[in-house]
Amino acid sequence: MELNVDDDLAWGGNTQPVALGSPELSEDGSQAAIRGRLTLTGEGGAVLRVGDSQLLFDVTDPSPLVAVDGTWVAVLAGRDSISLYFYSL
């Protein structure tokens, strides 16, 4: 299964730090919340580790500070910007 999020990561906008350090994917009305550990790539991108899965994001302004690298965050995304693909290996 592959999960794709079309929204960019905007620190303080759709991305916030969270105290609870466990992965989660939940829905609230027209938005989905994805909680995971954030890794900054240093090239204008970020990886959100949700359990054993990794979601790649482009980062827009305001960009997260280097100090948040490795911390737990929640990313809010519109339901219509999330795609789920199933495949067999």
Side-chain angles (χ1 to χ4, degrees):
M1 176 171 56
E2 180 180 332
L3 180 68
N4 183 55
V5 180
D6 292 333
D7 292 350
D8 291 343
L9 189 144
W11 189 253
N14 67 345
T15 307
Q16 302 289 332
V18 294
L20 186 58
S22 64
E24 180 180 63
L25 176 60
S26 61
E27 178 187 13
D28 184 18
S30 64
Q31 290 193 320
I34 307 165
R35 187 171 57 214
R37 188 179 296 268
L38 183 68
T39 302
L40 302 176
T41 66
E43 300 169 357
V47 176
L48 186 66
R49 299 182 191 283
V50 183
D52 293 334
S53 300
Q54 298 179 14
L55 298 172
L56 304 176
F57 285 91
D58 289 325
V59 177
T60 61
D61 290 331
S63 177
L65 301 173
V66 173
V68 303
D69 190 41
T71 62
W72 287 88
V73 300
V75 178
L76 297 177
R79 286 178 33 190
D80 57 349
S81 70
I82 298 174
S83 304
L84 187 61
Y85 301 97
F86 294 96
Y87 57 89
S88 306
L89 294 177

